[in-house]
Amino acid sequence: MKPVLAIEDLCLGIRNEDGLKPILDHVCLEVGRGQVQGLAGESGSGKTITGLVVTGLEPAKSEVSGHIWMDGNDLLQITGSSLNAIRGRRVGTVFQDPSTSLHPQLTVGAQLTDHVRYHLRVSKTEAMDRAVRMLDRVGVAGGRATLQRYPHEFSGGQRQRIAIAAALACDPSVLIADEPTTALDVTVQAGVLNLIRELVDSLGLAVLFITHDLGVMSAVADNVAIMRQGRIVENGPRQAVFASPQHAYTRELLAALPGARGGLKSRADLARIMPLAPDEPGQTMAPASEAGAV
Amino acid sequence: MSHMDDAATASFAAGPVTDLAGSGGQVADAAEASSAARPVSDVAGSSGRGTRRSHGQLWRYIGKRLLIAVGLLFGMTLVTFSLTNLVPGDPVAAALGQRAADNPETVARFRAEYGLDKSLPAQYAAYVSRLVRLDLGVSWQTHHPVSEDLAKAVPATMEIAFGAIICAVILGIILGAWSAYRRGRITDQVLRLVSLVGISLPTFWTAIVCFYAFYYRLGWAPGSGRLTPGVMAPPKVTGMYTIDALLAGEWRTFVDASAHLVLPTLVLTLYTVGLLTRFSRTSILEVLDQDYVRAAKAKGLPGRTVFLRYILRGAAVPILTMVGLAFGSLLSGTVLVESIFGWPGLGSYAYQAASKLDLLAVMGVGLFVGLVYLCINLLVDLAYGVIDPRVRIGQ
Amino acid sequence: MISPKNKMFRLTGALGAAALLLSGCADNGNEDGAAGEPGDGATQIVVDTTFDIKTIDPAREYEPTGQILVKALYDTLLTFADDDTTTVIPDLATFESNSDQTEFTLTMTEGRVFSDGAPITADDAVFSLQRLQGLEGNPSFLLAGVQVEKVDEMTLKLVTDVPSPSLPAVLATPSCGIVNSKLVQENGGSTSATDSAEEFLNETSAGSGPYILEKLDTASEAILVKNDKYNGPQKPTYDTVILRNTEPATQKMNVERGDSQVALGLSGDMVDSLADNVNVESVPSATVVFLLINADSAISEITASSEFVRAVKNGINYDGLLEIAGRGAAQATGLVPSVFLGALGSADALKYDAAAARTAAEASGAVGQKLTLSFPNDIDPTGLNLTTLAERIQSQLSQVGIEVDLAPAPFATEIDAYRDGKEQIGLWYWNPDYMDPANYLAFGPGQSVGLRAGWPEGSNPAIEALVSQGYTTGDLDARRTVFENWGKAMNADSPFVPLLQPGSNVAYQPSVSGVYYNPVWLINVAGLGIA
Amino acid sequence: MTNPGQAKAQAKAQTKAQQCPQAQAQESAQPRAQMANRRSLTRRIWRLIPPGLRQPLGIVAALIALTWLVICLVGPSIAPYDPLAQDLPRFTPPGSVAWLGTDELGRDLLSRILAGARVTIGLSLLLVCLSMLIGSLLGLLAGFFGRWVGETIMRFTDLVLAFPTVILAMVTAAALGASLFNAVLAALVVSWPPYARVVRSIVMGLRENEFVASGRLLGFSSVRSMRVDILPNTVGPVLVMASLDIGTAALLLSGLSFLGLGAKPPTPEWGSMVSSAVAHFDKWWLGVFPGLAILTVVIAFNFIGDALRDALDPGVEKS
């Protein structure tokens, strides 16, 4: 099957006074329709930035080479309004922390509709209807009244659902989910993961799912790529990677999962894994600082 | 209580309300330093303040603010009163004129008329009791009620101050945003330098240099004063000639008044724009790194929308705080600028009053400017609620 | 007048410097129209001065700016010609006096009217003069001891106990302007301190002068318009006179650029560097700048000694001070300025003698001591900066061994110490109250200014005798001799050091004629014409 | 074949910015393993300079400030003339006789400006130190003792802050009489409150912090916890404020002198020099040079303060 999104030989370095600091090293990834491609790695491995490059959000002082193919276009070659026509419209993005990725001073409705109106050129009412439908779809009830409310009036899980609704509002074919559950209480993580899986299955989305948490990964990903220091060290179907990791680093990572020796074979294992706490202090913050550092 | 209280003073948190030529630097920097220093780095205190506040609490809060404001005003009268009475020199000779002061009867009558024959506490009490009836007394110098003098001087100053603050806010936000967007690049460096120069300019010097260059040397700007002699002031509505002229449909007067506004406004803008550029840059930089900005870009919104809708809104609260402070400092800054441009405003009035020991006039000016400060702060605080729904009550 | 239109339009759009710069690229021509000829045919003249004004109620005002305005708004019974400061001439009245100058009979000129058309009678004159006396305002002292009586509808009589040869000159001061008694009384006027007409008179002029008041803002400007009913000798030329409050430096720019036609406050230095397109009327003013050296040993043992006074009088290089004062300034030969009867010649002036000064300074015990020189720093008598002058004096005195600290203070603060006689050394100035040398007698021992130098009655009987002669001697030549003797004695023995008369500099556009300096009212705006 | 990705990389490389302070902060967040090359010695020294100064402008600013400080120390001795001597012809334009011309009394302008550095800069430093001390002390008290002590102090701070600064300073200077020392006092009256506020807010924040609380649980006295726990934490922000305040102080003091409320004649002070130049505006050098002196000093110190803040408060300039 032809991948919806193909990352090919992606290299990225950040220029500072010492010269060019390499961040990504010949990264290749493919995401197919109805597939969840997981991308896992420790903080600072470059996984978040990989997601950002797709929508042209890499840091200002980056130097990039390679290709990101989508719909026959190389996303690295396009800029300006053509890039805007892809972002949000063809590729939706969900960020880690919904309490920061939703603007606290804008109503949920505004944030669900502004890009819809821009991309799809629909009227305000139409965009609102659409937003209500999307909210319904992601499981946030309340209809129109909800649109008038502000993000802080929702719980964390609901906010992330709203963020997902916003990302999917224009029917994109690709969703980049950057640690979408990390900032959530463990009890609501499962709900959000289920939602994503369900959307993939029903809409045929292609998802690039980025996380540091192999437990989460095992719950949703069809394919799993392991990234270390800017390189993909292992990539393959979930079962294969979890059952028989080829790379030493993958084994190390898996070993760090409590009670996970032997690997996770199915979604049924999820329940056992989910309650786990972040494995090192401060790790939940790591992706933020990684993003922030660039 | 302490929580509320922090909110009450949050708009002040930026610190010094400024002074002469350009302590704006101080304002901005104190604000920056303090926000940086605060362990819980909130956006000018907004996130820290009442996320859950009922209507009753709101009224209590406003009531408390007003009470504090009134208390501050009385404190200010007390301070000015004591200071002006510390001045070595009897205001009587200055007020009456040399010859009249030779006549002990006249002096005695003057003292009785202004209550100067009473003890200081009694004088103060008399002043305050008049003040409660909104009577600021009669200036010894102009022989007019202080309130009338203020009614003439204030619009003149407001005309410059409004002009300057509007220009400065627009330019400051644009330049600050530009600088923030180009962070670290040459543009940013240049803009940082320019804004630094702006807040480093001694306004009294800039005013002289501008007047000399643009009026005397080049003849591009009109001379001193608010209108060219011979052009009659428009019928008084607001006291601001530009607005009054427009209201009266006197186009030529409007043009003349606007032309006279350019230089004084420019001088005050130079300084304020430096202040606001620096502050906007910092605030926008903080917002630029927010996830919601990245999310907005990821949604494919055009840059203009992202800036106006997401970034500016996010940076609005600290910028607004700063604008409030800058406006206050503008009023103070006029003292040094007005005399050079022959502008009969609050600054000239205050300077005259202070140097001529015109006690009631000094206190009137002090009270007025203090009142403006307090009002600005109250307004800024209330505006937070409009900008930031988290501050709003009864969610 | 300039036509502002061009410039204005170019500037409207300008919000900031960029627009300002752009706008300036347009050409600068066509800006100067001829003075007094704005587009609509009416003539207007703009006079820049530094405002010192509280009121323009003639019976209350006593500041220079007020004098200029009141002179134009109110006629006086007697007056001086524009170019003469010695001979009193009739205006609203003619006068005769008895031989010992104690009784003055004034006969009102027929036919003169107020600006509302009402004829001027002796009632108005009596009311005006009695009001001046009764208000106990600043100028009330002018008519102290004078009895004002109405004789008939057109005649009044002024009687004094002592001979008052200066009374006609006093009657010519603007403060003795005649007000419309009916109008003023209708608006709260009276001849006692209960008078409440000031507010009315600050908004409406109630006189018969060549101009009437259009608008007064004591902070920024006064606008006068021609009095159509005026039927006196001084027909005004300009339809409108605008007197603006302007800093001296700005005045210079304005007059050079043609934005004003007359500038009254320029210093000698400014005049020296004035552009060629501006004319200057530069004469020594009647203001005398002097040093006061306190003779009260309670204030300072050093300054109280006559050697110290001698040291200062010799230690000052008067030419060096004149250099600071610039154009028009002259050494004050005595306390009586050169325009008045009895002024001393240059031979009698104080002389710089460094050696004598040094000896005297050592004898006085001043060497090695620090004394204080106090002066007001927010007031510039006829454009002379007292701070600069004080710095030069400090430097000069230091060269003869006298060290002084400068103690500048705002006028309002310092005036108190001055009046109370608390200053060790003071740098002050004296503007004549009326055009007669008698008002300088106040410097005598026990007189009002003398006391400020700690110089009580009985300090110098010889001078005191001359003072009383000065007040009463009527005969012109005798008066001259008395004042000359008084002046010489003061130079020799008084604790006052007359320094200089700053230049009175009136800068004006060549299009303006009739610019004359007057010691009391500075300039008669009604006398200004088109050249 | 042209690699389009490389083309974009090159395009981006061309727009790469100058090295900047932000780059510094970023790099530490990245794994050290990837940091290339050992740093040379010069680079190490380079890094000792606050990042904000590590650019041509910053160096110029630092040099200007340094020059002025040196002038403060040796000023009068390198002046070509006695700043008080009135020996030269008045109003000599800048030239060989007097490099910057002479003033209305025939004094050498250059000598006066050099002598004035000590006055303006010295007093500004004094003012900043005093306001820092007083403000911090009151802020510490207010923050630490909370309740009514703190309330009283903060209400008083509000009072001063709500006052129109210039007018308060003007009245104070008028009340005390014009002199440089009194001008410093008058400026002090209006300069301390920001410090009090900032220090209080830091202390309030720290007080919530566990380590102070635990200190108190362990029975440490309030004085001890103030000294050990709180004081050190306030030093950084306060110093940053103070460094940014020097320029402001110079402006305030010269402004007061400009109004005739500061330096007494014949003291060479820049603000009063500008003030007396107003009357002689066509002798441009009289106003331009003292004004430039004020400007350069204020810019230089503001720039350094900025750089210090960037260095000490990475939070503000965080990437």
Short mmCIF file of all heavy atoms in Angstrom, two decimals, chain C residues 249-250 252-253 256 267 269-270 273 323-324 375 377 387-388 391-392 394-395 399 406-408, chain D residues 84 86-87 90-91 104-107 112 174 178 260 264-266 276 278-283:
data_model
loop_
_atom_site.label_atom_id
_atom_site.label_comp_id
_atom_site.label_asym_id
_atom_site.label_seq_id
_atom_site.Cartn_x
_atom_site.Cartn_y
_atom_site.Cartn_z
N ALA C 249 14.44 81.65 24.85
CA ALA C 249 15.08 80.99 23.70
C ALA C 249 14.08 80.81 22.56
O ALA C 249 14.41 81.01 21.39
CB ALA C 249 15.64 79.64 24.14
N THR C 250 12.86 80.45 22.94
CA THR C 250 11.84 80.26 21.92
C THR C 250 11.46 81.60 21.28
O THR C 250 11.20 81.67 20.08
CB THR C 250 10.60 79.62 22.56
OG1 THR C 250 11.02 78.55 23.38
CG2 THR C 250 9.66 79.10 21.51
N LYS C 252 13.38 83.97 20.67
CA LYS C 252 14.37 84.29 19.65
C LYS C 252 14.08 83.53 18.36
O LYS C 252 14.11 84.09 17.27
CB LYS C 252 15.77 83.96 20.18
CG LYS C 252 16.83 84.38 19.19
CD LYS C 252 18.21 84.06 19.65
CE LYS C 252 19.17 84.39 18.51
NZ LYS C 252 20.47 83.79 18.68
N MET C 253 13.79 82.25 18.52
CA MET C 253 13.48 81.45 17.32
C MET C 253 12.27 82.03 16.61
O MET C 253 12.27 82.20 15.39
CB MET C 253 13.18 80.01 17.71
CG MET C 253 14.33 79.27 18.35
SD MET C 253 13.88 77.53 18.54
CE MET C 253 15.10 77.00 19.73
N GLU C 256 12.98 85.32 14.81
CA GLU C 256 13.84 85.11 13.65
C GLU C 256 13.08 84.43 12.52
O GLU C 256 13.32 84.68 11.34
CB GLU C 256 15.06 84.26 14.02
CG GLU C 256 16.11 85.04 14.78
CD GLU C 256 17.40 84.25 14.97
OE1 GLU C 256 17.50 83.12 14.45
OE2 GLU C 256 18.30 84.76 15.63
N SER C 267 17.96 88.04 25.99
CA SER C 267 19.12 88.48 26.74
C SER C 267 20.11 89.14 25.79
O SER C 267 19.99 89.04 24.57
CB SER C 267 19.78 87.28 27.40
OG SER C 267 20.40 86.48 26.43
N ASP C 269 23.11 88.33 25.18
CA ASP C 269 23.80 87.34 24.36
C ASP C 269 22.96 86.91 23.16
O ASP C 269 23.46 86.72 22.07
CB ASP C 269 24.11 86.10 25.20
CG ASP C 269 25.37 86.30 26.03
OD1 ASP C 269 26.23 87.08 25.58
OD2 ASP C 269 25.47 85.69 27.10
N MET C 270 21.69 86.73 23.41
CA MET C 270 20.81 86.30 22.32
C MET C 270 20.75 87.36 21.24
O MET C 270 20.75 87.06 20.05
CB MET C 270 19.40 86.06 22.84
CG MET C 270 19.28 84.83 23.70
SD MET C 270 17.57 84.68 24.20
CE MET C 270 17.70 83.30 25.27
N SER C 273 23.61 87.43 18.79
CA SER C 273 23.68 86.44 17.72
C SER C 273 22.39 86.42 16.90
O SER C 273 22.10 85.45 16.21
CB SER C 273 23.93 85.06 18.31
OG SER C 273 22.90 84.73 19.20
N GLU C 323 30.37 91.92 30.22
CA GLU C 323 30.61 90.94 29.17
C GLU C 323 29.54 89.85 29.23
O GLU C 323 29.03 89.41 28.20
CB GLU C 323 32.01 90.35 29.39
CG GLU C 323 32.48 89.47 28.27
CD GLU C 323 33.67 88.62 28.69
OE1 GLU C 323 34.23 88.86 29.78
OE2 GLU C 323 34.02 87.72 27.93
N ILE C 324 29.21 89.45 30.46
CA ILE C 324 28.19 88.41 30.65
C ILE C 324 26.81 88.91 30.22
O ILE C 324 26.02 88.20 29.62
CB ILE C 324 28.10 88.01 32.13
CG1 ILE C 324 29.42 87.44 32.62
CG2 ILE C 324 26.98 87.01 32.37
CD1 ILE C 324 29.81 86.19 31.94
N PHE C 375 20.59 84.09 45.73
CA PHE C 375 19.91 84.80 44.63
C PHE C 375 18.77 83.95 44.12
O PHE C 375 18.76 82.73 44.28
CB PHE C 375 20.89 85.11 43.50
CG PHE C 375 21.58 83.90 42.94
CD1 PHE C 375 21.08 83.26 41.82
CD2 PHE C 375 22.74 83.40 43.53
CE1 PHE C 375 21.71 82.14 41.30
CE2 PHE C 375 23.37 82.28 43.02
CZ PHE C 375 22.86 81.65 41.91
N ASN C 377 16.82 82.03 41.29
CA ASN C 377 17.35 81.46 40.05
C ASN C 377 16.26 81.18 39.02
O ASN C 377 16.54 80.61 37.97
CB ASN C 377 18.12 80.18 40.34
CG ASN C 377 17.24 79.10 40.91
OD1 ASN C 377 16.13 79.37 41.35
ND2 ASN C 377 17.72 77.87 40.91
N THR C 387 22.01 83.41 37.54
CA THR C 387 22.91 82.33 37.91
C THR C 387 24.27 82.54 37.24
O THR C 387 25.32 82.42 37.88
CB THR C 387 22.31 80.98 37.49
OG1 THR C 387 21.03 80.86 38.08
CG2 THR C 387 23.19 79.84 37.95
N THR C 388 24.23 82.84 35.95
CA THR C 388 25.48 83.09 35.24
C THR C 388 26.23 84.26 35.87
O THR C 388 27.45 84.20 36.08
CB THR C 388 25.17 83.41 33.76
OG1 THR C 388 24.27 82.44 33.27
CG2 THR C 388 26.43 83.40 32.93
N GLU C 391 27.81 83.27 39.08
CA GLU C 391 29.00 82.45 38.87
C GLU C 391 30.20 83.34 38.54
O GLU C 391 31.33 83.09 38.99
CB GLU C 391 28.77 81.44 37.75
CG GLU C 391 27.87 80.29 38.15
CD GLU C 391 27.68 79.29 37.02
OE1 GLU C 391 28.52 78.41 36.86
OE2 GLU C 391 26.68 79.43 36.28
N ARG C 392 29.96 84.38 37.74
CA ARG C 392 31.05 85.28 37.39
C ARG C 392 31.51 86.06 38.63
O ARG C 392 32.69 86.22 38.88
CB ARG C 392 30.58 86.20 36.26
CG ARG C 392 31.53 87.23 35.71
CD ARG C 392 32.90 86.78 35.34
NE ARG C 392 33.15 85.84 34.28
CZ ARG C 392 33.43 86.14 33.01
NH1 ARG C 392 33.42 87.37 32.59
NH2 ARG C 392 33.71 85.20 32.14
N GLN C 394 31.24 85.11 41.72
CA GLN C 394 31.94 84.17 42.59
C GLN C 394 33.39 84.03 42.16
O GLN C 394 34.31 84.06 42.97
CB GLN C 394 31.24 82.80 42.52
CG GLN C 394 31.89 81.74 43.37
CD GLN C 394 31.33 80.36 43.08
OE1 GLN C 394 31.11 80.00 41.92
NE2 GLN C 394 31.08 79.60 44.12
N SER C 395 33.56 83.90 40.83
CA SER C 395 34.90 83.72 40.31
C SER C 395 35.75 84.98 40.54
O SER C 395 36.93 84.90 40.90
CB SER C 395 34.78 83.36 38.83
OG SER C 395 35.95 83.66 38.13
N GLN C 399 39.15 85.71 43.24
CA GLN C 399 40.48 86.19 42.86
C GLN C 399 41.01 87.27 43.81
O GLN C 399 42.20 87.55 43.80
CB GLN C 399 40.45 86.72 41.42
CG GLN C 399 40.42 85.56 40.44
CD GLN C 399 40.16 85.98 39.01
OE1 GLN C 399 40.12 87.17 38.71
NE2 GLN C 399 39.98 85.01 38.14
N LEU C 406 27.51 79.64 46.26
CA LEU C 406 26.28 80.14 45.64
C LEU C 406 25.08 79.39 46.23
O LEU C 406 25.13 78.19 46.39
CB LEU C 406 26.34 79.94 44.13
CG LEU C 406 27.51 80.64 43.43
CD1 LEU C 406 27.39 80.48 41.92
CD2 LEU C 406 27.57 82.11 43.81
N ALA C 407 24.05 80.14 46.54
CA ALA C 407 22.84 79.52 47.09
C ALA C 407 21.63 79.97 46.28
O ALA C 407 20.90 80.88 46.69
CB ALA C 407 22.67 79.88 48.56
N PRO C 408 21.44 79.38 45.11
CA PRO C 408 20.27 79.75 44.32
C PRO C 408 19.00 79.15 44.92
O PRO C 408 19.06 78.10 45.55
CB PRO C 408 20.55 79.13 42.96
CG PRO C 408 21.45 77.98 43.24
CD PRO C 408 22.22 78.30 44.49
N LEU D 84 36.38 75.13 36.47
CA LEU D 84 35.72 76.32 37.01
C LEU D 84 36.34 77.61 36.51
O LEU D 84 35.78 78.69 36.69
CB LEU D 84 35.77 76.30 38.54
CG LEU D 84 35.08 75.11 39.23
CD1 LEU D 84 35.13 75.25 40.73
CD2 LEU D 84 33.64 75.00 38.74
N GLN D 86 37.31 80.73 34.46
CA GLN D 86 36.59 81.46 33.42
C GLN D 86 37.58 82.28 32.59
O GLN D 86 37.43 83.47 32.40
CB GLN D 86 35.55 82.37 34.06
CG GLN D 86 34.63 81.62 35.02
CD GLN D 86 33.60 82.52 35.69
OE1 GLN D 86 33.58 83.72 35.47
NE2 GLN D 86 32.73 81.93 36.50
N ASP D 87 38.63 81.60 32.09
CA ASP D 87 39.72 82.33 31.44
C ASP D 87 39.58 82.44 29.93
O ASP D 87 40.18 83.31 29.32
CB ASP D 87 41.06 81.63 31.70
CG ASP D 87 41.25 81.33 33.16
OD1 ASP D 87 40.74 82.11 33.98
OD2 ASP D 87 41.91 80.32 33.47
N ARG D 90 34.47 83.67 25.80
CA ARG D 90 33.15 83.04 25.89
C ARG D 90 32.73 82.50 24.53
O ARG D 90 33.10 83.04 23.50
CB ARG D 90 32.11 84.05 26.35
CG ARG D 90 32.50 84.84 27.56
CD ARG D 90 31.53 86.00 27.77
NE ARG D 90 30.20 85.53 28.13
CZ ARG D 90 29.08 86.11 27.75
NH1 ARG D 90 29.14 87.19 26.97
NH2 ARG D 90 27.92 85.64 28.11
N PHE D 91 31.93 81.47 24.57
CA PHE D 91 31.32 80.92 23.35
C PHE D 91 32.33 80.60 22.26
O PHE D 91 32.06 80.83 21.08
CB PHE D 91 30.25 81.88 22.79
CG PHE D 91 29.14 82.17 23.75
CD1 PHE D 91 28.80 83.47 24.10
CD2 PHE D 91 28.40 81.13 24.31
CE1 PHE D 91 27.78 83.74 24.98
CE2 PHE D 91 27.36 81.39 25.19
CZ PHE D 91 27.05 82.69 25.52
N GLU D 104 29.13 80.00 28.39
CA GLU D 104 28.77 81.41 28.47
C GLU D 104 29.67 82.17 29.44
O GLU D 104 29.63 83.40 29.49
CB GLU D 104 27.30 81.58 28.83
CG GLU D 104 26.92 81.20 30.26
CD GLU D 104 26.64 79.72 30.44
OE1 GLU D 104 27.02 78.93 29.55
OE2 GLU D 104 26.06 79.34 31.48
N LEU D 105 30.47 81.44 30.23
CA LEU D 105 31.38 82.13 31.13
C LEU D 105 32.83 81.92 30.72
O LEU D 105 33.75 82.25 31.47
CB LEU D 105 31.16 81.63 32.57
CG LEU D 105 29.92 82.19 33.25
CD1 LEU D 105 29.52 81.35 34.44
CD2 LEU D 105 30.14 83.63 33.68
N GLY D 106 33.04 81.34 29.56
CA GLY D 106 34.39 81.12 29.09
C GLY D 106 35.07 79.95 29.78
O GLY D 106 36.28 79.92 29.94
N ARG D 107 34.28 78.97 30.20
CA ARG D 107 34.85 77.77 30.79
C ARG D 107 34.93 76.68 29.73
O ARG D 107 34.08 76.62 28.83
CB ARG D 107 34.00 77.29 31.97
CG ARG D 107 33.95 78.31 33.09
CD ARG D 107 33.02 77.88 34.19
NE ARG D 107 31.63 77.81 33.75
CZ ARG D 107 30.59 77.89 34.58
NH1 ARG D 107 30.79 78.07 35.86
NH2 ARG D 107 29.38 77.82 34.12
N ARG D 112 34.59 70.54 31.79
CA ARG D 112 33.40 70.49 32.62
C ARG D 112 32.66 69.16 32.45
O ARG D 112 32.14 68.61 33.41
CB ARG D 112 32.46 71.65 32.29
CG ARG D 112 32.96 72.96 32.85
CD ARG D 112 32.04 74.12 32.54
NE ARG D 112 30.78 74.11 33.28
CZ ARG D 112 30.68 74.36 34.58
NH1 ARG D 112 31.75 74.63 35.28
NH2 ARG D 112 29.50 74.36 35.15
N ALA D 174 12.50 71.09 46.47
CA ALA D 174 12.20 72.47 46.84
C ALA D 174 12.17 72.62 48.35
O ALA D 174 12.66 73.60 48.91
CB ALA D 174 10.87 72.92 46.24
N ALA D 178 17.88 73.41 46.98
CA ALA D 178 18.59 72.82 45.86
C ALA D 178 20.02 72.49 46.25
O ALA D 178 20.78 73.36 46.65
CB ALA D 178 18.58 73.78 44.68
N GLY D 260 16.79 72.88 37.83
CA GLY D 260 17.37 73.80 38.80
C GLY D 260 17.22 73.30 40.23
O GLY D 260 17.36 74.06 41.17
N LYS D 264 24.23 72.71 42.38
CA LYS D 264 24.31 74.16 42.53
C LYS D 264 25.44 74.67 41.65
O LYS D 264 26.48 74.02 41.55
CB LYS D 264 24.60 74.50 43.99
CG LYS D 264 23.35 74.59 44.81
CD LYS D 264 23.59 75.29 46.12
CE LYS D 264 24.48 74.47 47.05
NZ LYS D 264 24.54 75.06 48.39
N PRO D 265 25.28 75.82 41.04
CA PRO D 265 26.38 76.38 40.30
C PRO D 265 27.52 76.70 41.27
O PRO D 265 27.23 76.98 42.44
CB PRO D 265 25.78 77.67 39.71
CG PRO D 265 24.62 78.00 40.59
CD PRO D 265 24.10 76.68 41.07
N PRO D 266 28.75 76.65 40.85
CA PRO D 266 29.22 76.35 39.50
C PRO D 266 29.55 74.88 39.27
O PRO D 266 30.26 74.57 38.33
CB PRO D 266 30.49 77.20 39.42
CG PRO D 266 31.02 77.18 40.82
CD PRO D 266 29.85 77.04 41.74
N SER D 276 21.40 75.35 31.05
CA SER D 276 21.89 76.70 30.73
C SER D 276 22.15 76.85 29.24
O SER D 276 22.24 77.97 28.73
CB SER D 276 23.14 77.04 31.54
OG SER D 276 24.16 76.13 31.24
N VAL D 278 20.03 76.04 27.02
CA VAL D 278 18.77 76.36 26.36
C VAL D 278 18.74 77.81 25.91
O VAL D 278 18.31 78.14 24.80
CB VAL D 278 17.58 76.08 27.32
CG1 VAL D 278 16.28 76.57 26.70
CG2 VAL D 278 17.50 74.60 27.63
N ALA D 279 19.24 78.68 26.78
CA ALA D 279 19.21 80.10 26.45
C ALA D 279 20.16 80.44 25.30
O ALA D 279 20.03 81.47 24.66
CB ALA D 279 19.56 80.92 27.69
N HIS D 280 21.13 79.57 25.06
CA HIS D 280 22.10 79.84 24.00
C HIS D 280 22.00 78.76 22.94
O HIS D 280 23.00 78.16 22.55
CB HIS D 280 23.50 79.89 24.58
CG HIS D 280 23.63 80.79 25.77
ND1 HIS D 280 23.61 82.16 25.66
CD2 HIS D 280 23.72 80.52 27.09
CE1 HIS D 280 23.72 82.69 26.86
NE2 HIS D 280 23.77 81.72 27.75
N PHE D 281 20.78 78.51 22.50
CA PHE D 281 20.58 77.33 21.65
C PHE D 281 21.35 77.41 20.34
O PHE D 281 21.65 76.41 19.73
CB PHE D 281 19.09 77.14 21.36
CG PHE D 281 18.48 78.29 20.61
CD1 PHE D 281 18.48 78.30 19.23
CD2 PHE D 281 17.92 79.36 21.30
CE1 PHE D 281 17.92 79.36 18.55
CE2 PHE D 281 17.38 80.42 20.62
CZ PHE D 281 17.39 80.44 19.23
N ASP D 282 21.68 78.63 19.89
CA ASP D 282 22.40 78.67 18.62
C ASP D 282 23.89 78.35 18.80
O ASP D 282 24.59 78.19 17.82
CB ASP D 282 22.18 80.00 17.89
CG ASP D 282 22.15 81.18 18.84
OD1 ASP D 282 22.50 80.99 20.02
OD2 ASP D 282 21.77 82.28 18.40
N LYS D 283 24.36 78.29 20.05
CA LYS D 283 25.69 77.74 20.29
C LYS D 283 25.49 76.25 20.55
O LYS D 283 25.46 75.80 21.69
CB LYS D 283 26.35 78.40 21.50
CG LYS D 283 26.12 79.90 21.63
CD LYS D 283 26.92 80.69 20.62
CE LYS D 283 26.91 82.17 20.91
NZ LYS D 283 25.57 82.80 20.84
#
